[in-house]
Amino acid sequence: MTNRLGLLVAGSVAEGLSARLDPTVAIEDVRLGKFVKIVGQKYEYFCLVTDVQLDSANADVLRDPPGDPSTVDVFLRQVLSGTTTYALIKLKPELMLANPAADIQFEDSDLVPRPARTIPPHFSSVSEATLADFERVFGRDDGKNHFQIGQPIDMDVPVCLDLRRFVERSNGIFGKSGTGKSFLTRLILCGVIKAGAAVNLIFDMHSEYGWSAKNEEGAEVKGLSQLFGSRVAVYTLDMESSRGRGVKPSGEIKIALREISVADIALLQDELRLHRTAVESAALCEDKLGDDWVARLLDMSGDELTDFANQEGGNHASLSALRSKLRLIDRLPFVERSLSQSTLDQVIAQLERGQHVVLEFGRQRNLLAYILAANVITRRLHDLWVKKTERYWNTKDEADRPRPLMITIEEAHKFLNVDAARQTTFGTIARELRKFYVTLLVVDQRPSGIDAEVLSQIGTRITCQLNDERDIDAIFTGVSGGSHLRTVLATLDSREQALVLGHAVPMPMMVRTRKYDPTFYATVGGDDGAVILSRARRYEEIFGVDG
Ligand SMILES: Nc1ncnc2c1ncn2[C@@H]1O[C@H](COP(=O)(O)OP(=O)(O)O)[C@@H](O)[C@H]1O
Ligand SMILES: [Mg+2]
């Protein structure tokens, strides 16, 4: 059954199409961003509603409109409605696909949705897209290649991400605070983990991905390790806090001073309130003192520092200022002078084996700790993945092909702002696409803070409500048809709705985010929902319901 909306009356490829709404369709039910289908003679066109307008066939009616609805003029209104007065919907054709009813030999390329380059003829029928249409365009959630991220705002059919395409690029989840970014991130990570599309490392600044988190009503929601059992390991930078919340982490991460490089210091410029010359001084130290430069600088006596500055041509005041800032790092509880054995190696080995890792920050949720740890760890991983890729290029042996690694970071603009993006491994990863099989999932409430070049490399953008004009501009940099999508974005609710566009979807789509709740838990982590539920219950038996 088709739900007819109207028929096509005007339009152009450049400007989009206009359809006249059937008199039986209530104009108040047609909202921006609605997904509709136009059946042409050769093709079916999938379009988004970009505007709804009132129009009339006779200007006289507008000059002498019917009176108050409470009077007999109700009848007049009804007479006019749909004939003299009517509604137009403006449509932007996004995709075209062979019309199965057409008696034509189609080429293979016509059988998959592709960008609309032509338009259907006059009076083609416009209807609401059906479940089958959605499946043809967005695919079907099969637990493998496609993952349902939500439903259209006004329908109850699945909208899916193409997971293979999703992990091919770095991706972004944007929206102001409280719009549902973390919930969306959890959902998508579940989809990626279940399908085995990539191995994940999650820098969990607010400790809400690994074990349970709370929703706004204060009820518990499950974390990834509760849903996926041993496939997701939780590590922590703050064992006490993790234990206090009933989490049993696989280990506590420590970072040795010698793992800290000048690039990390440069990134911490704001957090440490460093003077501009500090980075130069740090570079000098690293150059002259070697890998152990931080510890050696920290240990210098006043005289030694003076000698060092004189001998190496450094600025004494700057070196001394740098040293006092480095003390702040030295004092971080997870930073050690030296480490006999490194849990970081263990984490890396797990990721290499395809086991997902959530790294909790516990009380170390200040930006200094977060940026430092995330940057040090990511640099090591990236170096390793580059080596793996190069080996694979040499051997061309499938067994050597690195596993795709996806790194999730919140507060992404801290790592990817204009200055940082040039210096950090995160910037490198975002720019390399996935040449070395590493991509980012950036989660951020301030996309305008992210370097434009990095943003332009973001494959799929999932955007919840944003208010700041600069942030909205940032989302649409390099997106064709951005102007009409802006109006669509402006109609999103303040929570649990998002505009999805880019590499993993054939056309932009507005969705109500899938609920992250027990019904969802039952669909992830193995194919048997009952197993998951029983496993979840078992956790509760062992650790208690609040555990
Ligand atoms: N997909 C979802 N399923 C269930 N609840 C959600 C979902 N998305 C958002 N929420 C609700 O909205 C609140 C805010 O979401 P959250 O992801 O924490 O926002 P953000 O990370 O953008 O600040 C959550 O605490 C939860 O109550
Ligand atoms: Mg959040």
Side-chain angles (χ1 to χ4, degrees):
M1 198 200 79
T2 60
N3 242 341
R4 204 180 110 118
L5 293 171
L7 48 83
L8 193 63
V9 291
S12 75
V13 177
E15 306 282 329
L17 307 173
S18 290
R20 184 168 160 151
L21 208 61
D22 284 347
T24 48
V25 180
I27 180 172
E28 293 172 33
D29 290 342
V30 184
R31 53 180 296 164
L32 291 195
K34 190 179 177 63
F35 183 60
V36 304
K37 177 170 77 168
I38 307 179
V39 182
Q41 275 164 6
K42 284 178 75 175
Y43 298 103
E44 293 182 342
Y45 295 79
F46 295 100
C47 314
L48 290 183
V49 173
T50 57
D51 202 2
V52 187
Q53 297 176 341
L54 299 173
D55 208 345
S56 82
N58 182 345
D60 287 344
V61 182
L62 303 183
R63 272 183 229 119
D64 181 20
D68 193 79
S70 60
T71 69
V72 282
D73 279 351
V74 164
F75 177 64
L76 185 55
R77 282 167 185 252
Q78 280 168 358
V79 171
L80 293 173
S81 169
T83 53
T84 311
T85 60
Y86 54 87
L88 284 178
I89 50 178
K90 297 283 182 184
L91 302 169
K92 169 143 194 307
E94 295 281 353
L95 298 172
M96 55 199 254
L97 192 60
N99 179 356
D103 189 15
I104 303 174
Q105 196 63 41
F106 282 105
E107 310 214 342
D108 283 351
S109 63
D110 286 326
L111 302 176
V112 287
R114 62 194 167 104
R117 300 227 169 71
T118 63
I119 54 174
H122 262 107
F123 311 128
S124 297
S125 174
V126 180
S127 54
E128 195 167 57
T130 61
L131 172 62
D133 293 329
F134 273 92
E135 286 186 350
R136 274 207 298 164
V137 171
F138 292 97
R140 187 187 315 166
D141 190 337
D142 51 3
K144 198 88 205 122
N145 297 312
H146 288 92
F147 171 72
Q148 182 193 345
I149 173 170
Q151 302 80 246
I153 308 282
D154 52 359
M155 288 177 75
D156 256 325
V157 298
V159 175
C160 296
L161 289 180
D162 182 331
L163 286 177
R164 304 284 140 190
R165 287 175 70 88
F166 187 76
V167 300
E168 269 170 23
R169 301 270 185 93
S170 288
N171 301 298
I173 296 180
F174 305 112
K176 58 180 201 186
S177 180
T179 50
K181 294 183 299 300
S182 301
F183 273 67
L184 255 167
T185 308
R186 243 191 308 259
L187 274 168
I188 290 176
L189 287 170
C190 286
V192 170
I193 292 173
K194 181 177 182 211
V199 56
N200 289 278
L201 169 64
I202 298 130
F203 289 114
D204 187 2
M205 186 173 181
H206 306 291
S207 307
E208 56 183 348
Y209 293 110
W211 203 249
S212 67
K214 287 207 163 51
N215 69 11
E216 235 151 49
E217 286 82 46
E220 297 262 330
V221 296
K222 291 204 183 297
L224 298 173
S225 79
Q226 284 168 304
L227 290 178
F228 291 98
S230 61
R231 290 164 71 188
V232 177
V234 178
Y235 283 82
T236 183
L237 285 172
D238 181 356
M239 190 57 102
E240 213 178 301
S241 147
S242 299
R243 287 227 176 96
R245 286 179 300 112
V247 185
K248 300 248 176 335
S250 305
E252 186 172 27
I253 299 277
K254 300 270 183 201
I255 287 172
L257 273 184
R258 60 184 305 133
E259 284 175 300
I260 295 170
S261 80
V262 176
D264 301 317
I265 303 302
L267 193 62
L268 290 169
Q269 211 142 14
D270 283 349
E271 271 56 47
L272 290 175
R273 293 211 199 82
L274 291 179
H275 192 260
R276 263 178 295 117
T277 58
V279 176
E280 281 163 42
S281 296
L284 179 77
C285 293
E286 190 181 50
D287 192 29
K288 302 297 175 193
L289 302 173
D291 279 353
D292 232 0
W293 66 277
V294 180
R296 289 186 56 188
L297 181 64
L298 286 172
D299 290 342
M300 278 184 199
S301 66
D303 289 345
E304 281 167 337
L305 189 71
T306 313
D307 290 346
F308 176 73
N310 290 340
Q311 260 168 32
E312 308 298 349
N315 179 311
H316 184 272
S318 167
L319 282 166
S320 156
L322 172 66
R323 186 168 64 162
S324 58
K325 300 294 183 175
L326 290 177
R327 293 227 161 84
L328 295 175
I329 293 183
D330 192 30
R331 256 184 252 137
L332 289 170
F334 59 89
V335 171
E336 301 277 326
R337 279 301 168 106
S338 66
L339 292 171
S340 50
Q341 48 143 311
S342 162
T343 31
L344 192 48
D345 291 341
Q346 199 180 321
V347 167
I348 292 173
Q350 289 206 305
L351 291 167
E352 287 186 274
R353 284 199 302 272
Q355 219 179 358
H356 313 274
V357 172
V358 176
L359 179 56
E360 287 194 347
F361 282 70
R363 286 162 304 179
Q364 299 304 315
R365 63 175 67 189
N366 58 69
L367 282 165
L368 175 63
Y370 183 61
I371 294 176
L372 182 70
N375 210 42
V376 166
I377 295 171
T378 302
R379 186 170 51 239
R380 277 203 46 195
L381 276 169
H382 181 254
D383 289 350
L384 179 66
W385 251 254
V386 168
K387 286 207 192 83
K388 283 173 179 289
T389 309
E390 285 168 350
R391 184 170 46 202
Y392 170 58
W393 288 340
N394 278 333
T395 63
K396 300 203 172 52
D397 180 354
E398 275 307 302
D400 284 339
R401 183 200 284 271
R403 277 174 206 281
L405 169 66
M406 187 163 101
I407 301 178
T408 300
I409 40 165
E410 296 229 4
E411 306 287 344
H413 65 270
K414 286 286 167 192
F415 304 87
L416 294 168
N417 59 49
V418 180
D419 293 329
R422 271 186 231 115
Q423 303 161 1
T424 60
T425 313
F426 290 101
T428 315
I429 294 174
R431 282 192 304 267
E432 284 169 351
L433 297 175
R434 64 147 201 176
K435 190 169 160 202
F436 299 111
Y437 297 87
V438 186
T439 56
L440 302 177
L441 178 59
V442 304
V443 183
D444 206 308
Q445 48 180 314
R446 256 195 60 208
S448 62
I450 297 177
D451 181 39
E453 192 197 338
V454 168
L455 270 182
S456 70
Q457 306 286 15
I458 298 282
T460 306
R461 300 164 204 205
I462 302 173
T463 311
C464 304
Q465 192 182 61
L466 281 172
N467 292 3
D468 189 306
E469 288 295 317
R470 281 166 308 174
D471 290 330
I472 299 173
D473 286 341
I475 294 300
F476 293 117
T477 23
V479 175
S480 68
S483 63
H484 84 264
L485 290 174
R486 284 182 79 102
T487 14
V488 169
L489 184 72
T491 67
L492 287 178
D493 277 357
S494 60
R495 226 168 81 171
E496 294 177 55
Q497 293 191 352
L499 175 69
V500 189
L501 67 119
H503 200 57
V505 282
M507 60 181 274
M509 191 69 209
M510 232 172 39
V511 295
R512 271 180 293 141
T513 314
R514 189 166 176 180
K515 277 279 175 208
Y516 187 81
D517 60 9
T519 316
F520 176 74
Y521 308 154
T523 66
V524 297
D527 297 311
D528 187 358
V531 173
I532 302 308
L533 280 179
S534 74
R535 187 188 288 155
R537 264 185 234 116
R538 217 159 57 80
Y539 274 118
E540 277 160 16
E541 278 161 28
I542 298 170
F543 300 121
V545 183
D546 300 326

